[in-house]
Amino acid sequence: MAKKLTTKKPLVGNRRSHALNATKHAQKPNLQKVTVNGETVILTAREARTLKKEAK
């Protein structure tokens, strides 16, 4: 089982129609399974990219 390392949560707001009706909407983080040092972890795509850059 992959361990979740990220602390990111969905960004919540409202969708607005032309009539200004508001309905709840969430933008979820882009979570990916990445292998780091032989262990599978769950990170956001941005965090995985940063780790890859720092590993060089």
Side-chain angles (χ1 to χ4, degrees):
M1 173 101 183
K3 188 173 190 175
K4 188 173 182 183
L5 291 182
T6 188
T7 58
K8 301 273 185 178
K9 297 202 187 256
L11 190 75
V12 179
N14 287 319
R15 285 201 188 276
R16 288 285 180 171
S17 67
H18 289 292
L20 293 182
N21 296 337
T23 55
K24 286 290 185 185
H25 169 67
Q27 289 181 351
K28 297 177 183 172
N30 186 7
L31 298 178
Q32 304 290 327
K33 285 184 184 174
V34 180
T35 303
V36 179
N37 296 333
E39 191 174 339
T40 305
V41 293
I42 297 175
L43 299 171
T44 62
R46 182 181 290 186
E47 292 167 340
R49 182 171 172 245
T50 303
L51 276 177
K52 186 177 178 183
K53 284 170 122 179
E54 290 178 0
K56 288 185 178 181

